[in-house]
Structure formats: C-alpha cells, structure tokens
Amino acid sequence: IVEGLSRDIDGVTLRTEVRDDGRFALQLPHGLYHVRSVRRPDRGLINPAIKAVFVPRFGSADVALRYRLPDAVITGTVTLASPALITGPVTIHAWSADDGYNTTIAPLNGVYTLPVMAGQRWHVAAIFETVNHYWFTRTLVAVPTPGAYPQDLRLTGPELKPAPVTVLINPDEDRLIELSDGTRLFIPAGALPADGRVILHITPLAGAPHHRNGDVIGLSYAFEAYTE
C-alpha cells in the first residue's frame, strides 16, 4: 500500500498484491510516499515498519518491507468495570505509530497475552459486545525494551448498540437512514452500482479492527447489499 505525501499526490492511495517471490511493483506519479504492507492478522508476526520513499520523475525507487517477530508481550486481565452475569469473548487490538499491529481474543474475566515489538508505544483497545450493548476501553502502553508488560483492561459500559436495519432502496436516489440510537447514514445516489432496487442490510459492530489507519471511534457499520 502506498500513500501520497507530496502536495500534488496528497490523499492518493494505491494498492497491489505481492507476488509469490515476495516482490511487488507499482506505477505511480513521482513524489514522496509512505509505503506499508498488511496481511491477514497473525499473532506470530508484526507488520513491517512504515517507510517514506521518494520516487523521482521518470525514475524508480526500491524499498524492502520485512515482517517482524515480536520481542515483547502486553498481558493482563480483562474485566468489566461494572460486573455483570455475562460471558463471552473480548476482542483486543494493538497498534503503534510505525504501523505495527496485532490482535487477539480473550475470555471475559480471563487473561490476554498480546505479542508486540519493543521500542514503541502501543495503543490498546478492547471491546466486548452482545446483541444490544457493548463495553469498551483503550489505553496506551509504553514498551521500551523486550520483555513482558502488565496492563489490566477494565471495560466501561454498557453502551447501547442499535439493532440491525434492512431497507429497500432505489440506488438512483439519495437515501437517508436513521438507526434506533439516532445515528444517520446518508447514501448518495449512484453509490451502489446496481440496476433496479437494492436490499441493504446495515449491522452496527463494536469489535471492528482498530489500527493506525483505522482508529474507530464508537461503532462501525457493516453494509451488505443485494439486488431485489
């Protein structure tokens, strides 16, 4: 993934897949870019450190991105600040400023262990959700050197999670949808490239991934669209 940093390419994002030999290539305008790599979450590997790369006019640039073996762990208990007679999995995400990322799942009232890289401060977010509610916490953990770093997570809540919504829409018309908690979702005409009416399912989610380029505030929403 490359993200433009220079004035003329600010906001430009390009993606490609890595070949079987571990190499990749992208054709793009000259300028300064951030280059990073992501893959399916794997607790045994941390994303490569993000790199700044300048591509000259009519030229090329090489960059090597290496996935990293964790050399530290963040560990502790996972509980609710207001105890309740419920059980289930807690989703935990951690990310760092250099694009490091890891995730794990732990039982509520249990212990989590999250492998990370030393030399960074790690943002840690934990989410527990039921059909109608969710609990959440986030904290910052300094990991200066290899080793184990204790950090108990106490989730606050419950917060209301709106019920899923199913609507029938005409994709050629603007549509404003309001959820039960007052959240409004605007779908402009043409956003859904379909002929005929569309059945749209909207599901609020509390446990969506949190990372450097996608730090969720509150809920996220899953959209599923089907032609009638």
Side-chain angles (χ1 to χ4, degrees), residues 15-17 19 23-27:
R15 299 169 181 259
T16 190
E17 293 187 357
R19 300 194 299 261
R23 301 185 66 84
F24 70 93
L26 276 169
Q27 292 185 328

Side-chain angles (χ1 to χ4, degrees), residues 171-191:
D172 296 326
E173 300 176 355
D174 292 343
R175 183 66 181 267
L176 180 65
I177 302 169
E178 185 168 337
L179 303 184
S180 59
D181 67 344
T183 299
R184 294 184 175 186
L185 305 173
F186 177 69
I187 302 174

Side-chain angles (χ1 to χ4, degrees), residues 6-25:
S6 303
R7 183 179 62 183
D8 293 342
I9 55 173
D10 184 31
V12 171
T13 300
L14 299 172
R15 299 169 181 259
T16 190
E17 293 187 357
V18 177
R19 300 194 299 261
D20 291 341
D21 63 0
R23 301 185 66 84
F24 70 93

Side-chain angles (χ1 to χ4, degrees), residues 3 10 37 41 47 55 60 63 66 84 104 126 138 155 168 177 190:
E3 301 162 336
D10 184 31
S37 176
N47 288 354
V55 180
S60 62
V63 61
R66 293 182 174 86
T104 191
R138 61 190 307 159
L155 284 64
L168 183 64
I177 302 169

Side-chain angles (χ1 to χ4, degrees), residues 96-119:
S96 61
D98 73 344
D99 212 39
Y101 174 79
N102 212 343
T103 184
T104 191
I105 295 175
L108 184 62
N109 299 317
V111 175
Y112 76 96
T113 300
L114 195 59
V116 296
M117 295 296 303

